[in-house]
Amino acid sequence: MPLPGGLWWLLCCRRGFTLLHRDYGDGELSGDGEEDEDEETFELRTPSPAGGGRGPLEVTLTQPVRSGPVSHRLQSWEETWSLIPEKGLPEDDPDIVVKGWLYREPRGGGARPWLPPRRAWFVLTRDSLDQFSSSGKGARRLGSLVLTSLCSVTGPERRRKETGLWSVTVSGRKHSVHLCSPRQAEAERWGVALREVIASKAPLETPTQLLLRDIQESCGDPEAVALIYLRNPILRHTSGALYAPLLPLPYGVNTPGPGYAPLREEAVRLFLALQALEGARRPGPLMQGVLQTCRDLPALRDELFLQLAKQTSGPAGPPGLPATQDPAALRYWQLLTCMSCTFRPGVAVRGHLLGHLERTEQALPDSELAEYARFIRKALGRTRGRELVPSLAEISALSRRQELLCTVHCPGAGPCAVAIDSHTTAGEVARELVGQLGLARSRNAFALYEQRGAQERALAGGTLVADVLTSLAAEEAGLEDSPDSGWRLCLRLHGPLHPEGLSPDSHELPFLFEQAHALLLRGRPPPPDDTLRALAALRLQSLHRDFSPRVPLPRLDRLLPPRAPPSEDPPRPASRPPPSAAALLAGALWSPGLAKRRAERARRGGAGRMAGTTAHEGGSSTSTAAAVLGSWKRLRGMGRAEAMAAYLTLAAQCPGFGAARYDVLELSTEPGGGAPQKLCLGLGAKAMSLSRPGETEPIHSVSYGHVAACQLIGPHTLALRVGESQLLLQSPQKRSCSW
């Protein structure tokens, strides 16, 4: 019967599409005649052949409607049979890839483990997986699964102990087929064949992808783009649910990660989370959860970008007054801002998103939405991927399109506030601080470090500071009850110390002075005892000027590094003469309770070895304090800047002092060489050294002139060749590879 003229014109319109909401994409047949619930589905089409013109699209996306009683609608098994020609067992079909007897678990077998698997004859062709009742001619077909590029295969894996079968799972859009075999080799053969057939299929395209292509082709015609938005609700803001992903995501029953559903289900959940943003009282945690999902499941990043572009397009297509007057619409723009500062979209999605942002700026040039569009467009040009999702503080700043303040502690200058964004690197922050402190012309090199007490971790120049702040906040949250909590960022010397030519009025002198003293307290490496006492006296002179009995003196451990514990039992100390009055005075100045503690220890238990060792330590500390006081008195009249310069000159004469040090793992260059060995790599001005953790004497030391080759293998491994030997060093910390 011919169609009326008006209806025919409507169906043949250039951008009018008609698509029935019954998906024939994978054509699954369960063989049991069960009815499937109606849902929104889309026809997946393969791209047109090369050289052939692509005709006008003829699809309209609508919501599913139950148009009659169940008996009048097409059953799911009848629908699948209508796609497969009626024929028997294809014995001589040249498209057969593999065939054989296998077991198939019944549907819902995981929930009903008592159901035994059924034996059937399976035939795999280039287009489908068919199940027959027997291997003879005229066998009845029990089911079929049409294979597309979205199907997935998992296994083989061993099933439960009761059956002992090896299972291969083929997943379609609605159903999954579990093929079982008692032999592992046969299960592997079927798994390989199924994967090869699926890999040979042309990629499928969803209607959304076809519409994006049409929008890209019509980008120069605003009226054509507006018409595409008007005729296709899938591109516009909606308050209803999304029943299927906008992009072709693979079918599968396996969850991509702990706590996650299959990808297609997670895509639908993401859209529900977006709609929940409109009424959320605290949107920050919800946004962070959505970003974390996209970090854990990279396949959903482009899907979320498209969902946000859809929800920010307004109910009537490109952004209009209804979208700008709704405060809840800003939540979508704020999440899109966070997404653009965290992930990089794919090429096709990026082009559509940039066009959407440009149309927003043109339609509403003076609105807040245009400000968000400009911010997002700039962020997309700078984002290169994040290790961690933004913290709640960063999400709050991004929602207001503001920068984040970062506090960096600088020796001699105190804490310095630096404004950063989601793309600022550690090298950029270090260069900015070096310029602010007037250290740009210094011969010394400086870098950004993570620091907590005596622990330090150098940051590579390309490390994102926002990721570092998020990581430090997470570590502090886990150690909030620990006395060792308190990570912070600091700017410190990075490389050998060069104290020559320092001006007394510059910021570099106190900066290097505090840095050198911090290195001294960490024992990297400890100088001789006489040098330590001289350095401690110079430190006191720079802090308090000339000696005075009324000056409050710091504790001894604030001036000198702690003494290393003996590696073996020390011999019993010989008797010593009583300390002098000056020594007793020095001990009282530094530690008022020292005499009381010594008396208590002496009363505990006779003349044992522990008491002798304690008395020896106490006497040594008292004599050291007296020697430091004597050296300080001899520095009377020396100025503060002069004392700091003398401190740096004396410290620079110590072997290896100021060298950059890294905790590394030495990897064996021979197969089966054993576990990696923990070492400490020191890079000085003229030589490099390797030492064991906690030891000051290097086990290897070589000048740079004897290093034949140096190569960076990957982001965390350094290969060195010295003579005929080769050394592989690996950094155990991801952000600390700045050698």
Side-chain angles (χ1 to χ4, degrees):
M1 176 179 178
L3 293 174
L7 182 57
W8 177 263
W9 177 86
L10 180 62
L11 292 177
C12 296
C13 187
R14 180 174 180 269
R15 291 299 181 221
F17 304 147
T18 302
L19 175 62
L20 297 179
H21 278 269
R22 181 66 66 178
D23 187 2
Y24 300 104
D26 52 356
E28 289 122 333
L29 176 63
S30 61
D32 52 7
E34 293 186 6
E35 177 191 350
D36 297 318
E37 291 293 332
D38 284 344
E39 59 178 308
E40 182 179 24
T41 55
F42 305 118
E43 180 179 359
L44 303 177
R45 300 185 177 183
T46 58
S48 57
R54 185 168 57 86
L57 299 173
E58 55 288 317
V59 179
T60 299
L61 303 185
T62 58
Q63 292 291 334
V65 178
R66 293 184 181 269
S67 57
V70 175
S71 59
H72 295 167
R73 290 185 287 118
L74 191 64
Q75 301 292 325
S76 61
W77 62 273
E78 295 174 351
E79 173 185 279
T80 313
W81 274 112
S82 64
L83 298 177
I84 304 174
E86 291 284 349
K87 61 180 180 179
L89 189 63
E91 292 184 354
D92 302 327
D93 192 342
D95 292 336
I96 292 180
V97 179
V98 63
K99 56 185 178 180
W101 288 100
L102 294 173
Y103 292 92
R104 175 184 176 179
E105 289 188 359
R107 291 182 59 186
R112 296 176 291 179
W114 57 85
L115 294 177
R118 301 174 183 175
R119 191 168 182 263
W121 181 260
F122 285 89
V123 177
L124 175 63
T125 66
R126 295 294 176 184
D127 297 319
S128 63
L129 175 66
D130 302 321
Q131 176 185 354
F132 296 90
S133 58
S134 66
S135 59
K137 262 190 176 181
R140 183 170 59 92
R141 177 160 37 197
L142 303 178
S144 292
L145 177 65
V146 177
L147 300 176
T148 66
S149 61
L150 299 184
C151 295
S152 61
V153 181
T154 57
E157 59 181 358
R158 194 69 177 265
R159 306 304 289 177
R160 52 185 183 275
K161 298 180 180 180
E162 290 78 4
T163 62
L165 299 176
W166 291 87
S167 174
V168 176
T169 303
V170 189
S171 300
R173 189 181 66 85
K174 291 185 178 179
H175 308 299
S176 298
V177 179
H178 302 278
L179 306 178
C180 302
S181 173
R183 295 185 297 274
Q184 181 181 3
E186 185 177 12
E188 291 177 351
R189 182 168 65 97
W190 277 88
V192 171
L194 285 165
R195 290 185 178 93
E196 290 178 353
V197 170
I198 294 174
S200 65
K201 294 296 180 181
L204 299 180
E205 289 185 313
T206 63
T208 305
Q209 290 178 299
L210 300 178
L211 293 172
L212 297 186
R213 187 186 305 172
D214 283 350
I215 293 175
Q216 194 69 21
E217 293 174 356
S218 306
C219 60
D221 188 356
E223 294 183 358
V225 174
L227 187 61
I228 295 175
Y229 273 93
L230 180 62
R231 292 179 173 175
N232 296 277
I234 195 65
L235 298 173
R236 307 196 306 264
H237 178 280
T238 179
S239 57
L242 189 70
Y243 298 108
L246 302 178
L247 293 177
L249 297 176
Y251 309 130
V253 294
N254 287 350
T255 58
Y260 289 109
L263 285 177
R264 298 176 66 85
E265 186 176 344
E266 283 294 335
V268 176
R269 291 182 179 180
L270 277 181
F271 193 77
L272 295 177
L274 297 187
Q275 293 176 322
L277 280 175
E278 297 185 10
R281 299 183 60 182
R282 298 180 62 238
L286 185 55
M287 290 183 182
Q288 192 177 43
V290 171
L291 295 173
Q292 185 65 44
T293 300
C294 290
R295 180 190 177 274
D296 297 339
L297 310 178
L300 295 181
R301 295 173 185 175
D302 282 355
E303 174 73 21
L304 184 58
F305 272 116
L306 282 185
Q307 291 182 6
L308 288 171
K310 167 185 170 66
Q311 293 300 95
T312 54
S313 293
L321 293 179
T324 59
Q325 293 176 351
D326 186 6
L330 290 180
R331 300 284 178 85
Y332 296 118
W333 286 97
Q334 292 166 359
L335 181 55
L336 185 56
T337 302
C338 297
M339 281 287 296
S340 64
C341 293
T342 309
F343 306 112
R344 291 176 59 90
V347 178
V349 175
R350 176 187 174 88
H352 173 70
L353 190 57
L354 291 176
H356 170 61
L357 298 174
E358 183 179 356
R359 288 188 291 272
T360 303
E361 295 182 43
Q362 294 175 356
L364 306 165
D366 299 328
S367 66
E368 190 174 6
L369 298 188
E371 295 293 334
Y372 276 104
R374 281 188 283 270
F375 188 93
I376 294 170
R377 187 158 46 84
K378 293 179 182 178
L380 289 174
R382 299 181 59 190
T383 301
R384 53 185 179 87
R386 297 275 298 268
E387 292 183 6
L388 303 172
V389 300
S391 62
L392 293 178
E394 185 180 356
I395 290 175
S396 178
L398 289 175
S399 299
R400 301 188 302 269
R401 307 185 306 279
Q402 296 178 353
E403 293 181 326
L404 195 65
L405 286 181
C406 169
T407 301
V408 181
H409 296 265
C410 302
C416 301
V418 182
I420 65 169
D421 55 24
S422 301
H423 320 285
T424 306
T425 62
E428 294 173 349
V429 172
R431 287 191 293 270
E432 182 177 350
L433 289 174
V434 166
Q436 292 180 3
L437 298 175
L439 307 176
R441 298 184 179 181
S442 173
R443 295 181 55 195
N444 298 282
F446 306 95
L448 211 60
Y449 276 70
E450 298 171 304
Q451 187 182 69
R452 183 181 69 181
Q455 302 181 37
E456 284 186 345
R457 299 188 298 221
L459 296 177
T463 303
L464 295 179
V465 181
D467 280 342
V468 177
L469 295 179
T470 302
S471 176
L472 296 185
E475 291 188 26
E476 288 187 6
L479 298 174
E480 56 184 0
D481 297 331
S482 172
D484 296 332
S485 62
W487 281 101
R488 65 180 188 177
L489 293 180
C490 66
L491 182 72
R492 56 149 288 185
L493 180 70
H494 189 68
L497 176 64
H498 299 283
E500 303 87 3
L502 296 178
S503 172
D505 300 328
S506 66
H507 292 285
E508 186 175 8
L509 181 60
F511 182 93
L512 293 179
F513 173 71
E514 295 294 339
Q515 182 65 71
H517 182 64
L519 293 175
L520 172 71
L521 294 183
R522 294 184 182 91
R524 292 192 172 186
D529 290 343
D530 54 346
T531 305
L532 281 175
R533 289 190 290 268
L535 290 174
L538 289 170
R539 174 75 177 178
L540 289 173
Q541 184 68 19
S542 65
L543 294 177
H544 306 288
R545 298 296 180 91
D546 296 339
F547 170 79
S548 173
R550 290 187 292 270
V551 173
L553 300 178
R555 293 166 47 188
L556 191 61
D557 57 0
R558 300 289 180 87
L559 297 174
L560 301 173
R563 300 181 64 88
S567 57
E568 55 186 11
D569 293 338
R572 184 172 180 177
S575 59
R576 292 177 177 269
S580 62
L584 291 176
L585 176 62
L589 285 174
W590 258 282
S591 181
L594 178 62
K596 181 179 180 180
R597 291 197 301 270
R598 291 177 57 191
E600 290 177 354
R601 291 172 183 170
R603 288 193 298 267
R604 284 179 185 173
R609 183 173 57 181
M610 182 62 67
T613 303
T614 305
H616 169 68
E617 291 178 355
S620 176
S621 299
T622 333
S623 60
T624 301
V628 171
L629 280 178
S631 300
W632 183 19
K633 293 177 182 179
R634 289 191 294 270
L635 299 178
R636 178 176 295 274
M638 180 179 288
R640 183 172 183 270
E642 185 181 0
M644 288 191 293
Y647 188 102
L648 291 176
T649 302
L650 186 60
Q653 297 175 0
C654 302
F657 191 84
R661 303 176 74 86
Y662 304 91
D663 295 328
V664 297
L665 298 176
E666 181 184 9
L667 306 179
S668 176
T669 57
E670 300 180 358
Q677 182 181 3
K678 292 184 179 181
L679 297 175
C680 183
L681 172 65
L683 300 179
K686 300 179 181 179
M688 57 179 295
S689 63
L690 285 174
S691 59
R692 293 185 177 89
E695 297 184 4
T696 58
E697 292 296 328
I699 56 177
H700 297 293
S701 182
V702 60
S703 62
Y704 294 124
H706 292 83
V707 178
C710 177
Q711 183 182 4
L712 196 62
I713 304 176
H716 311 302
T717 305
L718 183 68
L720 299 172
R721 186 161 59 86
V722 182
E724 299 296 330
S725 60
Q726 186 174 6
L727 191 66
L728 290 179
L729 302 177
Q730 185 181 65
S731 172
Q733 299 166 358
K734 294 183 179 180
R735 299 193 300 268
S736 301
C737 288
S738 53
W739 41 40

